[in-house]
Amino acid sequence: MIEAKDITSIGKFQKTHALKGELNAIIDIESEFLEEGNSIIVEIDGIYVPFFSTSVRPKGTTSYLIKLDGIDNEEEAKVFVNKTIYALKSQLAPFYKIEENEIAEGDDFIGYEVFDFDSGELIGEINYIDDTTSNLLFVLQSPVGETLFIPAAEEFIMEIDEEKHCMRMRLPDGLLDVNSKNNNTD
């Protein structure tokens, strides 16, 4: 069952379009999210229900015409008018911009294990987020007890799995070596 803590708002259905069940929607995420088969979630009678789009057509810069699987006429589409569109947080990482201030305020990633995206190797566990510098830093404890400082930059975060409390990052070559050298000079 989908719970409120697992989802985030990505837009809103506005009105029906034509007679074949299309809906006009404003979404604040790249349309590829829907085009790649990710589910969207709508609250119906107090339950979060997943739906899949069968077509997505741009109507402006943030406005789209969306056809949902199984919604085939205007009457069925009317149920969605003025409803908020949600998505699973776990599916959003590659599509949704992670705001640095969001990371700092929520401390949502404390306790997450961080893995190298390419090798699958454990880099460490996030102990806290350092916001005392101009760039936010994840402060990790490595498996061998080293303290590692890694920029909390969206371009390094490839995947976030909230269920497993882990993150996969692709770090620039040499970044972990710099951390190791800093730890050896203490």
Side-chain angles (χ1 to χ4, degrees), residues 34-101:
L34 300 174
E35 293 163 358
E36 290 187 11
N38 292 297
S39 63
I40 59 172
I41 297 154
V42 179
E43 184 179 356
I44 298 178
D45 297 329
I47 299 171
Y48 294 107
V49 181
F51 292 90
F52 294 91
S53 61
T54 57
S55 72
V56 179
R57 298 185 297 145
K59 191 177 175 193
T61 55
T62 59
S63 181
Y64 295 87
L65 296 176
I66 300 173
K67 173 79 172 75
L68 298 176
D69 189 28
I71 307 302
D72 299 317
N73 60 54
E74 185 179 19
E75 201 58 40
E76 292 172 336
K78 283 182 181 177
V79 172
F80 297 90
V81 171
N82 293 321
K83 294 252 185 202
T84 301
I85 302 169
Y86 299 97
L88 290 169
K89 291 177 184 177
S90 60
Q91 293 179 337
L92 289 173
F95 301 93
Y96 205 61
K97 302 286 186 216
I98 298 171
E99 298 294 331
E100 288 185 355
N101 60 358

Side-chain angles (χ1 to χ4, degrees), residues 96-151:
Y96 205 61
K97 302 286 186 216
I98 298 171
E99 298 294 331
E100 288 185 355
N101 60 358
E102 210 175 306
I103 293 171
E105 290 173 8
D107 290 338
D108 292 337
F109 299 119
I110 292 175
Y112 273 53
E113 291 185 315
V114 177
F115 294 89
D116 180 87
F117 183 75
D118 296 313
S119 71
E121 203 172 304
L122 176 65
I123 297 170
E125 182 177 319
I126 299 174
N127 285 341
Y128 66 94
I129 296 169
D130 182 349
D131 63 354
T132 61
T133 64
S134 60
N135 296 317
L136 289 176
L137 299 171
F138 290 132
V139 182
L140 287 76
Q141 182 83 34
S142 79
V144 295
E146 292 180 315
T147 300
L148 303 174
F149 297 89
I150 297 176

